[in-house]
Amino acid sequence: MPESAAPAINIKRCSGCGRCVAACPERIITLETENHHKHAVITEPQRCTDCGACIAACPIEAISSEPFSP
Ligand code: SF4
Ligand code: SF4
């Protein structure tokens, strides 16, 4: 199996706006709150189709196309 190509989320930079959650056609992104900071998480990176919709949706470039490393 090739490695998942799911993007990586910079959780420190992420504002938790939820646009990537809405944009993902696979519905594999969710918002979590950690230490009072809301940020996006890719819950099932293995299901990512590498469509790039989340990257395009993010207004502050908090998602990159670098391979997700679990
Ligand atoms: S690249 Fe596409 S399928 Fe993968 S997490 Fe982003 S929006 Fe979802
Ligand atoms: S679109 Fe960007 S800033 Fe908004 S929740 Fe997703 S990663 Fe975070």
Side-chain angles (χ1 to χ4, degrees):
M1 285 285 285
E3 260 184 57
S4 166
I9 296 168
N10 182 336
I11 61 172
K12 288 208 178 93
R13 186 173 183 138
C14 173
S15 68
C17 72
R19 289 189 203 186
C20 57
V21 176
C24 179
E26 303 298 321
R27 295 278 176 264
I28 57 172
I29 310 180
T30 188
L31 294 179
E32 282 185 7
T33 304
E34 215 178 319
N35 300 324
H36 307 288
H37 174 65
K38 199 194 268 186
H39 63 80
V41 176
I42 299 179
T43 55
E44 294 180 82
Q46 72 278 12
R47 285 181 49 213
C48 175
T49 60
D50 199 22
C51 70
C54 55
I55 297 167
C58 183
I60 56 170
E61 292 173 10
I63 305 185
S64 91
S65 58
E66 294 298 311
F68 182 89
S69 43

